[in-house]
């Protein structure tokens, strides 16, 4: 919101400033108080990035100079120029966009006064050198002691294991989209990891297994965050100090460092988020040369990175939202520009649809296609998916299955719930505990394949063995009254007027009777959904319901997890509500009947779109299932920005090698203060502009940076932070890190701008000229020093805990809640 | 004196007969046969209970919403002289003669009736014609679902009333902004906006959506005001402050006031006491107050106490121990210390008593004068009945293997030393010298040897632990309420001998002191419990999903006559529902069409027609979207009646769209006439549908099975047909 209004304001301000001649050019510049701030606009690259070329007041010669900058001579430059003239010629009020772009920081123009070749070269070299230094430092910090500890840390146990699954090509289930794990697997594969390590639990030593490839890959991606942030801020604020400050804050943040050093999805996710942000910002600054090569390049790169971010975790949706909002406002301004014909606007729109919607979608689907192509062997994730899905997996009992097609009495079957991730009807030799319904055998649903999932289908009124060869085969038909006998325990599926263990309004389902002899509560009517009475029941393809004869309720699974006594399997109930939901519809998966001929069933192969849909349903279902329990300490979103509590990556006791994920408190608290300061200064400026206050020209550029660039970053922070308050799933501290990146960039922009404002305000006093340099320097030094203090958190430490005086971290436990 | 008579007495009345007629019709439809059925209908069973609690002044906690709505209903009961004696246990139960049904149902019915003329006013204030305004009001009048919902003791009609009042008064305020800012008229409407917003929130939390709507419209208007450079800075400042006070401060204040009245009214202990903290319970008359009245305030060495867990989830319970020991080997093969079990027990019991002991001394009685226990003191806790000491050690707890087992120490002489020293940590202390106070102090017990904290894990022990709750020692993972305990019952121990002491523990506590909680403490506790109380998500036969609401794919059977097939359903007028949704879609499409064209400097509408069109849409579609879309994010059981507030906003928009079509899209007079004819035909069909559904709305006529079957226009409608 702030971002949008910022843009609006800037546009407004630009139009108001348009008319008076003082904005026109060098004539007035002499009168201005000069801003003597070293480091600010001494970079011509900055000019070339912002589209100063469109200034019609800039003499042609200067343009030539500029064109030799970083950007290749754009094909559209003359075109853009002419367009611009047109814009100016007509509609004054509509020229907001043109005016806004056109007037890009007034202060900037000063550097144009000395187009000296030598200094220009010198500065380009400096530009590259700084970037190189920033990148090098980032890589150095991330790769330092990367191999330690040589055991599994925290979630490496999951993601490392999933990487191994890709190498072994076994199918598994995870709540995140596959790209991140695929990349980890690829990195492992390329660096000679063979996928044999078990990744059982945190703390297990890697021994001879090659884990450095995977860690190195994550650290490699994690290291790029800093140069990306540096370039983004440079582009948004046009100020070296701001970009340097951001880079330093991120480099010296122990949290970012820790999170980048292990086999996790987060460095990959953050890499794509930051890359998308950077390419979006870059493409915004090419806006004055639409359809030029760099414009296309950055636009499609944005799309590619969006697909990457979404392909790693669903958190990628937030950056998609941000790019979407940016694109909408962009198109809105283009649309309002009456100098552009509707055809041109249409071209703009099509280009964005192509690059930001079609391209990412195609890539995203490709990721899934590769995912299902690689994982073609049966594995631990099978049970989460429908019978049809499993038929794809080699090694699964349904792969190239040949089973009897129609269900007959005496068949041994497994019954699977149609709802994703509920599993098979299951029973085992344990009773419901006392106080929970009748003291009879538990019936649950279970996601894994197991002998206890087998049931025998029998006639309700006779207990003769239907497999006796003397009897003819009798098929089960729609509407028949049957009994389901649990094969292992010979108890019947049973229901009665007792409340179900978790869903109080439903009836309890139990296993009852001995050797198949029970009572009339064991009778169920089997019905095929949407079929006529008397039809046979097909394996796999018929969608069936079991209706309890006595109470009239329907067999279903509530999807709720039973407590310990039920082995955390899912609750099965008999629901009196006859609404048709997937929870109460089942299909027959395995089917064994020696009296019937086996028929090969390959009709089942689901199409790719079905696979895609099903995977997503299961992922969403899985995500919803991750609920925190009462009486457990959980991380709350409000804990995160204040760095309230960290996460133990490795070890907790004083003899262990301890790594503790915790942000550098100096950086994080500075970020927190900055957000408050930003809101304060931003709204003050916005209100002042709305009241029509005429700002001096020097401030004009600064406020625009603050409102427009800062607004984008604030929006990014909000989009990556606030949705977590709405989430019901269990949350962890590391979910905040994407938001933290944005907040750090905002800090860089804010402090640079505020210090410049101070410098401008104090220009008359001797302090004024130095306050900016001093301020930035002291911030840099403070961060570096705090990193020196806190670096053991990230690089690991052994020794007593922080409350002991002889600990390496003694005196640094600034909050009670930090336990390192 | 006589001069008074010299002038004629003149009264000029300016009566809008439309309004009078609408009010009359509204009252007629809503109040007609209000006492019928004289039986509990649907959710009356639920609200009726609360009315009874108000009548009996007993404390209750309803997590569904703030108390203002309940209090309004109870006001009806109070005026009707209801004594609260009715057992609200079953839908369909006949009311006994002491229940004043008419006055209980009167307030919601009045609110429903007044919504009709108010919607007329709102459309007028939006600068649309009288004809349009009449249209909106007439639609409100014949909408079956609104009629059903306002004729019973339910809260939706009150909520809708205050929603509409908030919108209306904001519009009145906004329209007087141009001519007479800061006039009494202006102030009145501004204040009324804030007041009605907070009333709406006070009835149901859903009211927040309309509050947000009004707030955001007011914010946009205020932002334009700031940009108005003809006004002085002072004037702008005054405007902004006035709005902030009326729309932010007053609602917050009123919200507190509702709770203040609520807590003032309910001063007796009631059925929900258990959920509340000991301090809160002690502030209620009867219940815990009766027990704790006159307890000594400061806990001293030698005090006998019961310790209640502050978090109280999954159950409120007290620290407990008994003679039984932990089983040597658990089911899963892990071993235990085989010492005496320590659990948390949800019932009052003699085994819940503990004695605070000074580790340095042997005596278990209180000195004279008593030596109070302070924050940071090291103490031992002695179990009253078994005289064993509370202990924890590096043994995994039975159900939470990452935490330590807590036991009462038995010396088996197996080199497992006693570790029974605990450091007292008062969580809500004001200074580090604070003493430990009965009921008021929330304390943590930090184990001296292992720095583990005594905690309720929330798990139920298996049969060997009598299904009591597990208590563990957990090394700090951040403070959590399940680690905090407070002293509930307390007395100074005087018996030296164990036998005497056991007798003493059996006798009730007696001594003298009492302390009341401040209103803010009570308010924040009630508020917090309301927001965090987790209702078991119950499935309901008539629950529905938001998607089913727009197309009216669902209904709710409210009541069935015990003998005949007369029945009441919450069922909307399907013509109105569908056309209102279509109007919303039409508005949205037209709006974006105009917006895009304006962006290209093509103005289809004159400037003020455009601004009226925008404001009407912001209210209509904005109100609908804000009151509807959030339900997609909610994970609770939802019913069709949750849609009614959104529906009213759609109904307001419907005639506006029609007028717009006729004014701006019909090119010729002929087209206009045809369009009017169509509108009349459409409206009469709505009336017809309304009339057909009337038996299900009022439930006064018993239809034959065939007729009922004929009314079942959608397969998903559940109309009850008796089988004879």
């Amino acid at each position: 919101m702030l971002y949008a209004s910022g843009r609006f304001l800037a546009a407004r301000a630009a139009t108001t400033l348009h008319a008076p001649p003082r904005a026109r050019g060098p004539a007035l510049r002499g009168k201005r108080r000069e801003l003597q701030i070293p480091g600010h606009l001494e970079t011509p690259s900055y000019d070339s990035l912002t589209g100063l070329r469109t200034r019609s007041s800039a003499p042609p010669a200067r343009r030539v100079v500029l064109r030799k900058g970083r950007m290749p001579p754009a094909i559209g430059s003359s075109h853009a120029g002419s367009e611009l003239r047109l814009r100016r010629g007509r509609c004054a009020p509509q020229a907001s966009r043109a005016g806004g772009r056109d007037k890009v920081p007034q202060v900037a123009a000063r550097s144009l006064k000395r187009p000296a070749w030598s200094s220009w070269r010198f500065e380009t070299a400096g530009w590259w050198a700084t970037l190189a230094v920033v990148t090098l430092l980032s890589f150095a910090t991330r790769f330092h002691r990367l191999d330690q500890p040589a055991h599994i840390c925290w979630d490496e146990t999951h993601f490392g294991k999933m990487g191994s699954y890709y190498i072994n090509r076994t199918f598994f289930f995870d709540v995140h989209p596959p790209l991140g794990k695929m990349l980890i697997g690829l990195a492992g594969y390329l660096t000679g990891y063979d996928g044999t390590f078990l990744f059982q639990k945190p703390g297990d030593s890697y021994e001879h297994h090659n884990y450095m490839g995977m860690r190195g890959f994550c650290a490699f991606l994690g290291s790029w965050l800093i140069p990306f942030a540096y370039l983004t801020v440079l582009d948004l604020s046009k100020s070296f100090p701001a970009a340097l400050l951001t880079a330093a804050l991120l480099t010296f943040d122990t949290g970012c460092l820790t999170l980048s050093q292990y086999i996790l999805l987060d460095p990959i996710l953050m890499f794509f988020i930051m890359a998308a942000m950077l390419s979006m910002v870059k493409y915004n600054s090419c806006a004055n040369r639409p359809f030029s090569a760099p414009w296309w390049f950055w636009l499609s790169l944005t799309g590619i990175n969006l697909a990457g971010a979404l392909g790693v975790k669903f958190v990628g949706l937030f950056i998609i939202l941000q790019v979407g909002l940016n694109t909408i406002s962009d198109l809105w301004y283009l649309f309002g520009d009456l100098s552009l014909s509707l055809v041109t606007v249409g071209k703009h729109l099509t280009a964005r649809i192509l690059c930001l919607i079609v391209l990412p979608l195609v890539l995203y689907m490709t990721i899934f296609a590769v995912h299902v192509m690689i994982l073609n062997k049966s594995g631990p994730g099978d049970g989460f998916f429908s019978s049809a899905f499993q038929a794809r997996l080699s090694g699964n009992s349904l792969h190239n299955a040949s089973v009897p097609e129609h269900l007959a009495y005496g068949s041994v079957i497994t019954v699977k719930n149609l709802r994703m991730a509920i599993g098979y009807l299951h029973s085992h030799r344990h009773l419901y505990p006392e106080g929970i319904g009748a003291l009879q055998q538990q019936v649950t649903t279970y996601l894994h394949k197991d002998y206890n999932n087998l049931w025998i289908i029998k006639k309700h009124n006779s207990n003769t063995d239907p497999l006796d060869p003397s009897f003819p085969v009798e098929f089960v038909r729609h509407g028949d009254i049957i009994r389901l006998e649990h094969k292992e325990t010979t108890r019947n599926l049973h229901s009665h007027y007792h409340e179900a263990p978790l869903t109080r309004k439903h009836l309890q389902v139990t296993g009852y009777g001995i050797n198949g002899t029970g009572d009339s509560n064991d009778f169920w009517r089997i019905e095929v959904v949407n079929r006529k009475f008397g039809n046979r029941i097909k394996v796999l393809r018929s969608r069936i319901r079991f209706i309890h004869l006595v109470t009239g309720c329907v067999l279903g699974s509530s999807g709720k997890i039973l407590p310990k006594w039920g082995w955390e399997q899912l609750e099965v109930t008999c629901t009196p509500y006859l609404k048709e939901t997937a929870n109460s519809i089942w299909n027959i998966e395995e089917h064994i009947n020696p009296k019937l001929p086996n028929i090969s069933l390959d009709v089942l192969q689901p199409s790719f779109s079905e696979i895609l849909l099903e995977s997503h349903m299961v992922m969403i279902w899985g995500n919803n299932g991750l609920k925190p329990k009462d009486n457990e300490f959980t991380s709350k979103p409000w804990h995160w920005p204040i760095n309230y509590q960290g996460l133990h990556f490795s070890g907790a006791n004083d003899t262990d090698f301890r790594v503790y994920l915790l942000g550098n408190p100096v950086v994080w608290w500075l970020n927190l203060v900055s957000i408050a300061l930003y809101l304060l200064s931003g709204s003050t400026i916005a209100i002042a502009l709305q009241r029509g206050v005429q700002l001096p020209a020097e401030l004009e550029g600064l406020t625009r940076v603050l409102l427009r660039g800062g607004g984008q970053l604030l929006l990014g922070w909000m989009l990556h932070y606030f949705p977590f308050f709405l989430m019901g799933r269990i949350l962890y501290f590391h979910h905040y890190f994407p938001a933290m990146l944005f907040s750090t960039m905002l800090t860089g922009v804010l402090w640079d701008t505020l210090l410049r404002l101070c410098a401008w305000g104090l220009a008359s006093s001797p302090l004024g000229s130095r306050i900016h340099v001093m301020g930035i320097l002291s911030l840099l030094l403070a961060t570096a020093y705090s990193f020196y203090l806190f670096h053991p958190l990230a690089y690991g430490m052994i020794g007593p805990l922080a409350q002991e005086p002889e600990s390496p971290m003694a005196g640094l436990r600034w909050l009670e809640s930090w336990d390192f | 004196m006589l001069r008074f008579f010299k002038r004629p007495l003149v009264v000029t009345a300016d009566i809008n007969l439309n309004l009078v007629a609408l009010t009359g019709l509204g009252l007629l439809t809503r109040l007609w046969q209000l006492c019928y059925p004289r039986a509990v209908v649907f959710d009356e069973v639920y609200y009726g209970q609360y009315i009874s609690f108000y009548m009996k002044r007993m404390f209750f906690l309803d997590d569904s919403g703030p108390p203002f709505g309940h209090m309004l209903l109870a006001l009806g009961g109070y005026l009707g002289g209801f004594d609260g004696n009715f057992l609200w246990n079953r839908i369909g139960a006949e009311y006994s003669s002491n229940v004043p049904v008419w006055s209980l149902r009167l307030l919601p019915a009045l609110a429903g009736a007044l919504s009709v003329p108010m919607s007329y006013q709102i459309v007028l204030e939006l600068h649309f014609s009288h004809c349009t305004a009449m249209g909106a009001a007439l639609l409100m009048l014949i909408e079956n679902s609104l009629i059903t919902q306002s004729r019973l003791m339910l809260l939706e009609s009150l909520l809708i009333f205050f929603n509409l009042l908030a919108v209306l008064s904001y519009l009145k305020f906004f329209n007087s902004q141009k001519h007479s800012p800061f006039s009494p008229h202006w102030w009145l409407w501004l204040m009324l906006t804030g007041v009605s917003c907070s009333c709406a929130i006070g009835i149901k939390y859903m009211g927040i959506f309309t509050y947000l709507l009004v707030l955001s419209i007011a914010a946009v208007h205020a932002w334009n005001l700031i940009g108005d450079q003809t006004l002085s800075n002072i004037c702008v400042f005054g405007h902004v402050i006035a709005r902030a006070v009326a729309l932010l401060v007053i609602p917050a204040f009123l919200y507190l006031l509702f709770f203040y009245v609520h807590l003032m009214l309910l001063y007796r202990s009631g059925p929900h006491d258990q959920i509340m903290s000991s301090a809160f319970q002690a502030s209620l008359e009867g219940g815990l107050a009766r027990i704790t009245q006159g307890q000594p305030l400061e806990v001293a060495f030698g005090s006998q106490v019961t310790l209640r867990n502050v978090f109280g989830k999954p159950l409120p319970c007290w620290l407990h121990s008994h003679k039984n020991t932990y089983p040597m080997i658990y089911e899963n093969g892990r071993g235990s210390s085989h010492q005496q079990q320590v659990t948390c027990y949800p019932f009052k019991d003699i085994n819940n008593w503990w004695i605070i002991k000074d580790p340095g001394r042997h005596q278990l009685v209180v000195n004279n004068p008593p030596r109070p226990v302070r924050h940071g003191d090291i103490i031992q806790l002695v179990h009253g009945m078994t005289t064993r000491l509370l202990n924890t050690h590096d043994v995994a707890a039975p159900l939470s293997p990452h935490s330590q087992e807590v036991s009462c120490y038995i010396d088996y002489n197996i080199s497992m030393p006693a570790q029974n020293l605990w450091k007292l940590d008062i969580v809500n202390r004001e200074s580090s010298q604070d003493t430990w106070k009965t009921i008021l102090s929330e304390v943590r017990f930090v184990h001296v040897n292992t720095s583990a904290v005594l905690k309720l894990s929330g798990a139920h022990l298996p049969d060997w632990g009598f299904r009591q709750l597990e208590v563990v020692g957990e090394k700090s993972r951040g403070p959590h309420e399940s680690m905090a305990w407070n002293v509930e019952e307390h007395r100074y121990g005087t018996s030296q001998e164990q036998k005497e002491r056991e007798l003493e523990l059996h006798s009730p506590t007696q001594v003298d002191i009492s302390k009341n909680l401040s209103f803010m403490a009570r308010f924040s506790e009630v508020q917090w419990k309301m927001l965090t109380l987790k209702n078991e998500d119950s499935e309901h036969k008539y629950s529905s999903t938001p998607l089913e609401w727009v197309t009216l794919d669902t209904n709710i059977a409210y009541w069935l006559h015990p003998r005949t097939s007369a029945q009441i359903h919450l069922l909307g007028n399907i013509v109105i529902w569908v056309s209102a949704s279509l109007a919303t879609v039409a508005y949205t499409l037209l709006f974006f069409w105009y917006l895009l064209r304006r962006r290209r400097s093509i103005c289809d509408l004159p400037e003020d027609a455009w601004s009226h069109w925008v404001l009407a849409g912001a209210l209509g579609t904005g109100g609908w979207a804000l009151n509807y879309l959030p339900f997609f994010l909610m994970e609770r059981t939802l019913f069709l009646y949750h849609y009614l507030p959104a529906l009213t906003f759609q109904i307001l928009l419907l005639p506006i769209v029609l007028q717009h079509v006729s004014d701006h899209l019909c090119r010729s007079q002929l087209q206009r006439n045809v369009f009017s004819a169509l509108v009349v035909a459409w409206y009469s069909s709505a009336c017809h549908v309304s009339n057909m559904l009337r038996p299900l709305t009022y439930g006064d006529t018993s239809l034959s099975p065939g007729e009922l079957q004929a009314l079942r226009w959608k397969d998903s409608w559940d109309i009850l047909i008796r089988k004879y």
Side-chain angles (χ1 to χ4, degrees), chain A residues 335 340 506 631 690-691, chain B residues 223 226 231 455 539 543 600:
Chain A
F335 189 71
L340 296 180
H506 293 187
N631 297 49
Q690 176 78 356
R691 284 300 294 161
Chain B
W223 183 248
I226 291 176
L231 297 175
K455 178 187 184 230
E539 213 175 339
S543 66
R600 298 298 288 186

Side-chain angles (χ1 to χ4, degrees), chain B residues 326 330 391-407 419 422 447-455 457 470-475:
Chain B
Y326 287 109
Y330 297 121
N391 183 67
T392 181
H393 40 219
D394 197 11
V395 173
L399 299 180
S400 319
H402 297 293
S403 310
Q404 293 184 8
E405 179 192 271
V406 175
S407 64
Q419 304 182 357
W422 299 85
H447 193 234
V448 172
N449 298 62
T450 59
S451 74
V453 182
L454 192 71
K455 178 187 184 230
S457 77
E470 185 198 33
V471 170
V472 300
E474 191 174 272
K475 289 203 176 145

Side-chain angles (χ1 to χ4, degrees), chain A residues 25-36 41 47 59 62 106-116 119:
Chain A
L28 237 114
R29 260 179 223 132
K31 282 192 202 162
R32 267 199 259 129
R33 270 194 286 182
E34 285 282 351
L35 256 179
Q36 297 293 344
L41 307 153
D47 295 328
R62 225 169 273 161
Q106 293 280 324
V107 226
R110 211 169 344 102
S111 63
L112 287 174
K113 283 198 260 174
R114 31 186 163 84
S119 78

Side-chain angles (χ1 to χ4, degrees), chain A residues 235-261:
Chain A
D235 208 77
L236 285 176
S237 70
K238 316 297 173 202
S239 156
F240 260 134
L244 262 184
L245 182 58
T246 311
L249 289 172
L250 281 180
T251 314
F252 296 136
D253 176 49
T254 46
C256 270
L257 176 54
T258 315
L259 206 58
S260 304
Q261 282 198 311

Side-chain angles (χ1 to χ4, degrees), chain B residues 385-649:
Chain B
M385 296 306 285
T386 59
T387 60
R388 298 222 157 96
L389 282 84
L390 189 75
N391 183 67
T392 181
H393 40 219
D394 197 11
V395 173
L399 299 180
S400 319
H402 297 293
S403 310
Q404 293 184 8
E405 179 192 271
V406 175
S407 64
C408 272
Y409 184 71
I410 304 175
D411 192 1
Y412 290 121
N413 235 339
I414 46 159
S415 73
M416 189 181 261
Q419 304 182 357
N420 51 24
L421 297 182
W422 299 85
K423 199 173 109 193
L424 185 75
D425 175 17
I426 302 180
V427 181
N428 55 351
R429 61 181 182 270
E430 271 146 22
S431 74
S432 58
Q433 275 301 298
D434 254 20
T435 53
W436 183 6
K437 297 192 186 71
T438 311
I439 292 183
L440 301 174
S441 296
E442 292 173 7
V443 301
R444 298 195 305 163
F445 300 102
V446 186
H447 193 234
V448 172
N449 298 62
T450 59
S451 74
V453 182
L454 192 71
K455 178 187 184 230
L456 174 67
S457 77
H460 282 273
L461 292 171
D463 290 340
W464 55 256
F466 309 99
R467 314 208 57 74
Q468 297 173 4
L469 294 143
E470 185 198 33
V471 170
V472 300
E474 191 174 272
K475 289 203 176 145
S476 73
R477 280 282 284 117
H480 191 273
E481 278 208 316
S482 61
M483 292 175 178
W485 304 81
N486 69 300
V487 169
E488 191 165 283
E489 290 173 74
H490 173 219
R491 68 186 145 212
Y492 288 153
T494 50
S495 330
Q496 283 289 0
E497 289 303 310
Q498 175 61 15
K499 281 278 169 255
E500 273 176 61
R501 198 152 49 231
E502 281 178 20
L503 275 179
E504 191 182 28
L505 289 174
H506 276 287
S507 63
T509 45
Q510 284 293 328
V511 198
D512 218 59
I513 291 187
S514 154
K515 184 157 181 178
N516 264 337
L517 276 184
S518 70
F519 164 68
M520 278 318 279
R522 280 155 55 97
F523 162 73
S524 50
E525 184 176 342
V526 169
Q527 180 69 77
W528 182 244
K529 291 273 159 128
M530 275 166 73
L531 293 179
T532 54
L533 198 67
K534 242 189 260 165
N535 252 11
E536 197 174 298
D537 59 327
S538 53
E539 213 175 339
H540 193 281
K541 188 169 182 201
Y542 291 105
S543 66
S544 46
T545 55
L547 270 183
E548 292 171 305
W549 299 342
V550 186
T551 46
L552 194 64
D553 274 337
T554 172
N555 70 320
I556 307 178
Y558 269 13
W559 175 78
L560 176 66
H561 194 280
R563 287 170 305 281
T564 69
S565 63
Q567 48 192 304
I568 298 182
H569 284 262
L570 179 70
L571 191 55
N573 184 328
I574 190 145
V575 173
I576 298 181
W577 287 55
V578 171
S579 34
S581 301
L582 287 179
T584 314
V585 174
Y587 177 88
T588 318
L589 292 178
L590 278 173
F591 173 77
F592 279 112
W593 172 248
Y594 291 142
L595 191 69
L596 288 178
R597 281 170 67 86
R598 282 176 71 83
R599 187 74 190 158
R600 298 298 288 186
S601 292
I602 307 167
C603 293
D604 302 280
L605 301 181
E607 203 53 44
D608 63 329
W610 168 248
S611 64
H612 296 156
W613 174 243
V614 170
L615 185 60
L619 274 178
T621 32
W624 171 77
L626 271 175
N627 277 290
Y628 173 56
L629 300 180
F631 283 106
F632 284 97
L633 298 176
M634 288 188 200
E635 287 181 0
R636 35 182 297 210
T637 325
L638 297 174
F639 293 95
L640 181 62
Y641 58 71
H642 285 127
Y643 186 60
L644 296 182
L647 179 75
T648 50
F649 283 102

Side-chain angles (χ1 to χ4, degrees), chain B residues 96-130:
Chain B
S96 53
S97 60
N98 66 330
V99 184
V101 182
W102 194 79
S103 66
L104 278 172
R105 287 184 184 156
L106 180 64
L107 271 177
L110 281 182
L114 291 179
S115 304
V116 176
M118 269 197 329
S119 38
Y120 173 83
Q121 290 267 350
I122 289 177
V123 177
L124 273 193
E125 292 296 329
L126 284 169
H127 303 284
F128 287 85
S129 70
H130 280 274

